[in-house]
Amino acid sequence: MKVKVWGCRGSLPAPGPENISYGGNTSCLEIRDGDTLLVLDAGSGIQRLGRFLDKKVKVIHILLTHLHIDHTMGLGFFAPLYNPDVEVHLYGPSSSSESLLNRIRKYFSAPLFPVRLADLPNHPVIHELDQSEFEIGPFRIKSEFICHPGPTLGYRIQHGANVLAYMPDHELQLGSANFPLDPEWTSGFEIAVKADLLFHDGAYSFSQYEQKVGWGHSAVRDTIQFAQLCQVKKLSIFHHEPTNTDEQLDEILRRNVEGKTFGFEIEMCKEGSVYEF
Ligand SMILES: [Zn+2]
Ligand SMILES: [Zn+2]
């Protein structure tokens, strides 16, 4: 499988010369094997994915972790939704209060957006998920609710012997009373355990996190502890706080890893990065 990052910024797009290296678009990953295409989240990064998409792809599966605006804001700008010859499947978390279809309709309606969902030339097929396991082409997918305001899923995607785990929005400190001492009781553990590549929320430095406890995101320090607990092979820290510049992100990573050894690779995720398994 081939994985490409089209956006890894959190909460709000953050274009600008100070963010060239890590990029400004919000959450969007492309996962491909031949003609099978999975798209994880529809943040602002999905707009460019739509523009550069291989024309041979006729079926697209978009898996939303949750409905916060930074993970859905690109949907209306995703060109394949205006092409009736492409089949689009939209997956997202179920909720006890409202159907996924109604929640997606809210985005495609006044005063937020000029085109209604029903008026799109392409009528996406909606799939509600909870603690689910299913297959799409060569991918085996498992979803599970994780700790973040509102129903939010983490995804574990297996392709042959390789596993990718994706939890862009996840507050580890609030996910377990005993973090990081209790693997079975740590939110997201089953999604990430022994993954080859984990994309995980690490929006803040620790001092930034202390000002934002309960907002749904994690400090880089906790993200690294979680990756260690789950025995992953590589951690890509995701959902960068929009006001953190390239220089600050490098500095946060340096402060968290300098002088320590970990049994796995750690990086700050960069828009445009490609991973092949
Ligand atoms: Zn987010
Ligand atoms: Zn969120």
Side-chain angles (χ1 to χ4, degrees), residues 66 68 70-71 148 169 217:
H66 63 310
H68 279 162
D70 54 319
H71 298 256
H148 187 67
D169 294 45
H217 303 290

PDB file of all heavy atoms in Angstrom, residues 66 68 70-71 148 169 217, ligand 2:
ATOM      1  N   HIS A  66     -14.600  11.864  12.571  1.00  0.00           N
ATOM      2  CA  HIS A  66     -15.688  12.557  13.259  1.00  0.00           C
ATOM      3  C   HIS A  66     -16.086  13.753  12.423  1.00  0.00           C
ATOM      4  O   HIS A  66     -15.545  13.978  11.339  1.00  0.00           O
ATOM      5  CB  HIS A  66     -15.281  12.918  14.687  1.00  0.00           C
ATOM      6  CG  HIS A  66     -14.132  13.872  14.820  1.00  0.00           C
ATOM      7  ND1 HIS A  66     -12.940  13.710  14.159  1.00  0.00           N
ATOM      8  CD2 HIS A  66     -13.997  15.021  15.540  1.00  0.00           C
ATOM      9  CE1 HIS A  66     -12.111  14.692  14.480  1.00  0.00           C
ATOM     10  NE2 HIS A  66     -12.745  15.510  15.307  1.00  0.00           N
ATOM     11  N   HIS A  68     -16.150  17.112  13.232  1.00  0.00           N
ATOM     12  CA  HIS A  68     -15.641  18.465  13.471  1.00  0.00           C
ATOM     13  C   HIS A  68     -15.254  19.080  12.135  1.00  0.00           C
ATOM     14  O   HIS A  68     -14.776  18.398  11.234  1.00  0.00           O
ATOM     15  CB  HIS A  68     -14.435  18.432  14.426  1.00  0.00           C
ATOM     16  CG  HIS A  68     -14.832  18.335  15.877  1.00  0.00           C
ATOM     17  ND1 HIS A  68     -13.969  17.943  16.865  1.00  0.00           N
ATOM     18  CD2 HIS A  68     -16.019  18.588  16.488  1.00  0.00           C
ATOM     19  CE1 HIS A  68     -14.601  17.965  18.043  1.00  0.00           C
ATOM     20  NE2 HIS A  68     -15.852  18.343  17.832  1.00  0.00           N
ATOM     21  N   ASP A  70     -12.871  20.801  10.888  1.00  0.00           N
ATOM     22  CA  ASP A  70     -11.547  20.667  10.260  1.00  0.00           C
ATOM     23  C   ASP A  70     -11.379  19.311   9.572  1.00  0.00           C
ATOM     24  O   ASP A  70     -10.446  19.124   8.798  1.00  0.00           O
ATOM     25  CB  ASP A  70     -10.401  20.924  11.262  1.00  0.00           C
ATOM     26  CG  ASP A  70     -10.466  20.078  12.513  1.00  0.00           C
ATOM     27  OD1 ASP A  70     -11.576  19.884  13.062  1.00  0.00           O
ATOM     28  OD2 ASP A  70      -9.402  19.596  12.974  1.00  0.00           O
ATOM     29  N   HIS A  71     -12.305  18.367   9.822  1.00  0.00           N
ATOM     30  CA  HIS A  71     -12.226  17.040   9.190  1.00  0.00           C
ATOM     31  C   HIS A  71     -13.259  16.873   8.076  1.00  0.00           C
ATOM     32  O   HIS A  71     -13.312  15.822   7.436  1.00  0.00           O
ATOM     33  CB  HIS A  71     -12.385  15.943  10.255  1.00  0.00           C
ATOM     34  CG  HIS A  71     -11.294  16.006  11.269  1.00  0.00           C
ATOM     35  ND1 HIS A  71     -10.223  15.133  11.294  1.00  0.00           N
ATOM     36  CD2 HIS A  71     -11.062  16.916  12.250  1.00  0.00           C
ATOM     37  CE1 HIS A  71      -9.400  15.492  12.260  1.00  0.00           C
ATOM     38  NE2 HIS A  71      -9.890  16.567  12.857  1.00  0.00           N
ATOM     39  N   HIS A 148     -12.593  11.955  22.619  1.00  0.00           N
ATOM     40  CA  HIS A 148     -12.569  13.264  21.953  1.00  0.00           C
ATOM     41  C   HIS A 148     -14.001  13.796  22.033  1.00  0.00           C
ATOM     42  O   HIS A 148     -14.929  12.991  22.005  1.00  0.00           O
ATOM     43  CB  HIS A 148     -12.118  13.081  20.489  1.00  0.00           C
ATOM     44  CG  HIS A 148     -11.892  14.364  19.759  1.00  0.00           C
ATOM     45  ND1 HIS A 148     -10.872  15.232  20.084  1.00  0.00           N
ATOM     46  CD2 HIS A 148     -12.546  14.941  18.716  1.00  0.00           C
ATOM     47  CE1 HIS A 148     -10.914  16.270  19.262  1.00  0.00           C
ATOM     48  NE2 HIS A 148     -11.927  16.118  18.426  1.00  0.00           N
ATOM     49  N   ASP A 169      -7.448  12.963  16.243  1.00  0.00           N
ATOM     50  CA  ASP A 169      -8.002  13.758  17.344  1.00  0.00           C
ATOM     51  C   ASP A 169      -8.252  12.819  18.515  1.00  0.00           C
ATOM     52  O   ASP A 169      -9.151  11.972  18.451  1.00  0.00           O
ATOM     53  CB  ASP A 169      -9.316  14.433  16.931  1.00  0.00           C
ATOM     54  CG  ASP A 169      -9.120  15.487  15.854  1.00  0.00           C
ATOM     55  OD1 ASP A 169      -8.386  15.211  14.886  1.00  0.00           O
ATOM     56  OD2 ASP A 169      -9.704  16.576  15.980  1.00  0.00           O
ATOM     57  N   HIS A 217      -7.410  17.165  22.614  1.00  0.00           N
ATOM     58  CA  HIS A 217      -6.127  16.885  21.943  1.00  0.00           C
ATOM     59  C   HIS A 217      -5.029  16.537  22.947  1.00  0.00           C
ATOM     60  O   HIS A 217      -5.207  16.710  24.142  1.00  0.00           O
ATOM     61  CB  HIS A 217      -5.733  18.083  21.070  1.00  0.00           C
ATOM     62  CG  HIS A 217      -6.793  18.398  20.068  1.00  0.00           C
ATOM     63  ND1 HIS A 217      -7.048  17.579  18.998  1.00  0.00           N
ATOM     64  CD2 HIS A 217      -7.712  19.394  20.033  1.00  0.00           C
ATOM     65  CE1 HIS A 217      -8.074  18.067  18.322  1.00  0.00           C
ATOM     66  NE2 HIS A 217      -8.508  19.158  18.923  1.00  0.00           N
TER      67      HIS A 217
HETATM   68 ZN    ZN B   2     -12.025  17.081  16.548  1.00  0.00          ZN
END
